[in-house]
């Protein structure tokens, strides 16, 4: 943060986010599932169910369908190279017109 001059967006003991324009850089503590030096790409969408249905119809392989976790809807899929990716969106009714 200090060396690169990245503005801190959020900080907790196990998760920190930095503002980098339209992209958020998030760092978390290493674990057995996410060892040091690994990277995981995550996307945010406004309607995760629509994203899930559209991507599934295009052959994207989801390892986890949308579920509520950490206060958001979260799903996981494998990219064309076999790397794990995640996608998140607001919970139903949050941030949408169906409130």
């Amino acid at each position: 943060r200090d060396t690169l001059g990245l503005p801190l967006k959020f900080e907790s003991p196990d998760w920190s986010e930095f503002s980098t324009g339209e992209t958020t850089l998030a760092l978390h503590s290493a674990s057995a599932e996410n060892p040091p030096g690994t990277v995981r790409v995550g996307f945010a969408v406004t309607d995760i169910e629509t994203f899930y249905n559209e991507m599934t119809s295009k052959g994207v392989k989801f390892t986890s369908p949308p579920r509520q976790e950490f206060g958001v809807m979260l799903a996981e899929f494998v990219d064309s190279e076999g790397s794990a990716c995640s996608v998140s969106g607001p919970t139903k009714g949050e941030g949408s017109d169906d409130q």
Side-chain angles (χ1 to χ4, degrees), residues 31-88:
S31 66
E33 184 179 313
N34 299 294
T38 59
V39 175
R40 177 179 265 188
V41 175
F43 299 93
V45 296
T46 56
D47 185 339
I48 195 167
E49 292 292 337
T50 298
F51 178 87
Y52 174 78
N53 292 331
E54 288 178 359
M55 294 302 109
T56 299
S57 71
K58 292 180 179 182
V60 173
K61 304 295 182 203
F62 280 81
T63 56
S64 174
R67 67 192 184 285
Q68 188 165 345
E69 192 171 331
F70 309 117
V72 299
M73 294 299 291
L74 183 69
E76 296 173 339
F77 62 95
V78 179
D79 72 10
S80 62
E81 302 298 317
S83 297
C85 299
S86 64
V87 60
S88 65

Side-chain angles (χ1 to χ4, degrees), residues 1-8 18:
R1 174 193 68 202
D2 297 338
T3 301
L4 296 177
L6 298 174
L8 186 64
F18 302 91

